[in-house]
């Protein structure tokens, strides 16, 4: 399998896992509806540029592809940090109630 494809799948999986963790910690319907467009915004540029790179074999370095990976990784890390903060906040609220 192509290294680019493996890296893309891993990046998209980490993005999906981050948003899934946010989804499981919030449990509010209105906020969860907003997560779907945010997930698409985070993953669509990478998927588009990977498909474009696989169809058109460029001779030079594809800087757009590299920027798409960086955008997705930074977006995933921010989503993961938000998920961890929400999880800790939720656990603190649960422990204060008991």
């Amino acid at each position: 399998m192509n290294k680019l494809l493996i890296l893309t799948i891993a990046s998209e999986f980490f993005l999906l896992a981050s948003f899934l963790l946010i989804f499981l910690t919030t449990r509010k319907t209105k906020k969860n509806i907003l997560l779907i467009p945010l997930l698409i915004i985070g993953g669509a540029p990478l998927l588009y540029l990977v498909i474009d790179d696989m169809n058109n074999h460029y001779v030079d370095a594809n800087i757009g592809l590299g920027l798409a990976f960086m955008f997705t990784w930074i977006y995933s890390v921010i989503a993961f940090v938000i998920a961890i903060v929400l999880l800790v906040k939720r656990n603190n609220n649960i422990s204060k109630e008991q």
Side-chain angles (χ1 to χ4, degrees):
M1 202 144 82
N2 192 359
K3 290 180 184 181
L4 179 65
L5 189 60
I6 293 171
L7 188 59
T8 303
I9 291 170
S11 299
E12 294 291 336
F13 178 75
F14 186 66
L15 179 66
L16 182 63
S18 299
F19 273 91
L20 187 63
L21 189 59
I22 292 173
F23 174 76
L24 293 175
T25 56
T26 57
R27 301 279 182 168
K28 294 183 181 176
T29 309
K30 290 183 181 180
K31 287 186 179 180
N32 288 339
I33 291 173
L34 293 174
L35 290 177
I36 295 169
L38 290 175
L39 179 63
I40 292 170
I41 289 169
L46 180 61
L47 290 177
Y48 172 76
L49 286 170
V50 166
I51 291 170
D52 181 54
D53 187 64
M54 292 177 123
N55 289 336
N56 303 320
H57 299 286
Y58 297 109
V59 177
D60 60 341
N62 192 349
I63 295 172
L65 182 62
L67 289 173
F69 270 108
M70 289 302 294
F71 171 75
T72 303
W73 293 336
I74 291 170
Y75 199 83
S76 298
V77 167
I78 291 170
F80 188 69
V81 168
I82 290 171
I84 295 298
V85 168
L86 289 174
L87 187 62
V88 168
K89 186 177 175 182
R90 181 176 176 214
N91 286 341
N92 284 339
N93 288 341
I94 291 172
S95 64
K96 287 180 183 178
E97 291 176 1
Q98 292 178 351

